[in-house]
Amino acid sequence: MNSSQTQTQNVDTVFLEQAQSLSRGSDVLPSLEHLAKRLQKSAETRTPLKVKLGLDPTRPDLHLGHSVVLKKLRAFQDLGHEAILIIGDATAMIGDPSGKSETRPPLTEVEVQANARTYLEQAGKVLDLNKLKIVRNSDWFKDMNLGDFLKLAAKATVAQILEREDFNNRYTGQKPIYLHEMFYPLMQGYDSVVIESDIELGGSDQRFNNLMGRELQTAYNETVNPQLVILAPILEGTDGKVKMSKSYPEHCINFTDSPDEFYGKMMSIPDELIPRYELLLTPMTEEQIKIQAGLLNAPPEEGGLHPRDVKSNLAKWLIGQFHSMEAAETAEQAFIKQFRNKEIPDDIPEKSFQGGQDYPLLDLLAQNGLTPSKNEARRLIQGGGVKLNGEKVADEALILNHPTGTEVVIQVGKRRFLKARFV
C-alpha cells in the first residue's frame, strides 16, 4: 500500500467529497488527498484555513475568467474559511510575465491605483465582502529595505527561475529577459510568506508562481506546513481560441459589461465551448453537463437541444448573477429583436451634427467611440462590418454630408450603433 492510499484512508469521506467539490475541474498540488487532510484538520482544530487569491490590477475590469477562481474563493468563504484577496498593486508595476513572449510595458503607480479601485466593487459581485480580508502587497513591499530584498533574492537561483517555461523560451530564443521580471514570482511567492496562507488559488498559468510560494514559505520557516495550490483551468475567450484575458479585451466578457453586451457576447461563443463554460461558471454537475452535451443537435423527437437555446439559458443565468434576472430577460428580448428579426434597437445612443457639413466616416467612427482608431475603422469597412441605415459601406473614403432634419443610423459590427441627427 503506497503513502497516498494510506493518507486517503485516514481522511473522512466528508472531507474528500468537500475537497472534490472545492477543486472541481482543477488541479490540486501536491494532491487532492492533501487538501482533504487539511480540511479535516481545520475542522478538528476549529481553525479556519487562510485561502489566498492575488489579482494584479493591470486593467480596470474583471472578466468571466476571473470569476472561475473568485467562485472557488467564495466556496471557501461559505464553508467558514478565511478568504484573503491580495490586490497586487506592487507586482502589477512589474507585470506578470506568465505566458508572455516579451516584456510587459510598465504601468505607473497612478494607473495601478486607478485600476485597483474598481476591483473591489466588481469582486463583490461574486465574493461576500463582509467576510473578505483585503490587503495590498504594497503594504509590505514599500517597507522592505535593500537587505530584505537581497534576502528574498537569495531564496532562489537563476537556474530555478529559468525553469519557468516562458523565461526558458525567451532565453533560448535570445529574447531579452530583464532582471525585474525575474523578481515577479519571488514577490508573488513572498505574499504567501507574509499572510501565512494555507491555500493559494490561481489559474493554471500561475503554476510556477504559486509553487514558488510553497518554496518560499519553507525557505523562511522550515517548520511551516507550506500552502497547497489549487490551479483552475483557463477559460477561453469568446473566439474559443485565446484565453479570456485582459490582454485580449475584444474576447472578454467583463463584469462591467451591460446586460445587452453580456448577452450578445455569450451568444457568440462557439457551440463546442458550451460544456466548458457550464463546468467552470455554473453549479451544473459533470453528469448534467454530459447528458446535455449528448442532446445538443440531436433530433427534436429524441429530446434534442438547439445550441442557441442552451447558450441563451446560460447567458441569462450569468447575467442574473452579475445584474438581475429582469435585466437578463430584457437583454434576451433586445437580442431577438435586433438579430433574429434584423431590427435596429430602440435605445441606441444619439448625437447631433451640423447639417450640410462634411464628416469623413473614418473620423466620425473613431471620434465617437465606435472604433478604437481610424485604422480599425478602415479594416472594418474593408471587411463589410460597417453599415449606414442597414446598408454595408464599401468606400472607406466616404464623407457624410446630410441636410438639416435628416437622420442616419451607423452600425459597427453586431452591437455598436449611433444615430446621427443632422440639425
Side-chain angles (χ1 to χ4, degrees), residues 247-276:
S247 300
Y248 309 105
E250 66 273 22
H251 302 309
C252 274
I253 302 176
N254 298 312
F255 288 12
T256 53
D257 282 344
S258 70
D260 287 352
E261 289 177 306
F262 204 120
Y263 188 94
K265 289 178 180 180
M266 280 298 303
M267 295 301 289
S268 73
I269 68 171
D271 294 349
E272 58 269 20
L273 271 189
I274 293 173
R276 187 162 174 82

Side-chain angles (χ1 to χ4, degrees), residues 232-246:
I234 298 299
L235 185 71
E236 292 84 357
T238 56
D239 68 339
K241 297 176 182 177
V242 301
K243 71 176 184 178
M244 192 172 290
S245 165
K246 292 172 285 189

Side-chain angles (χ1 to χ4, degrees), residues 354-393:
Q354 188 173 346
Q357 296 292 316
D358 288 346
Y359 294 94
L361 182 58
L362 290 179
D363 291 338
L364 191 148
L365 295 174
Q367 292 170 5
N368 290 279
L370 293 170
T371 62
S373 66
K374 289 173 64 175
N375 284 337
E376 178 65 9
R378 183 177 291 108
R379 186 187 68 79
L380 286 168
I381 291 172
Q382 292 171 350
V386 178
K387 296 180 181 179
L388 294 181
N389 291 335
E391 299 294 327
K392 288 185 180 180
V393 176

Side-chain angles (χ1 to χ4, degrees), residues 55 60-71 118-127 235 244 252-259 261-262 265 281 318-319 321-323:
L55 295 175
D61 294 325
L62 296 178
H63 53 68
L64 284 186
H66 292 115
S67 76
V68 177
V69 287
L70 286 170
K71 286 175 182 288
T118 72
Y119 269 36
L120 297 181
E121 179 180 352
Q122 294 176 57
K125 294 180 179 292
V126 178
L127 301 174
L235 185 71
M244 192 172 290
C252 274
I253 302 176
N254 298 312
F255 288 12
T256 53
D257 282 344
S258 70
E261 289 177 306
F262 204 120
K265 289 178 180 180
L281 300 174
L318 288 168
I319 292 171
Q321 303 296 301
F322 291 96
H323 295 280

Side-chain angles (χ1 to χ4, degrees), residues 4-5 24 37 41 50 67 77 81 162 173 214 221-222 324 359 364 369 382-383:
S4 177
Q5 291 172 321
R24 172 178 137 157
K37 192 79 172 179
K41 183 177 180 181
K50 293 183 178 181
S67 76
Q77 280 188 309
H81 298 289
L162 287 179
R214 281 176 57 84
N221 183 357
E222 293 182 0
S324 69
Y359 294 94
L364 191 148
Q382 292 171 350

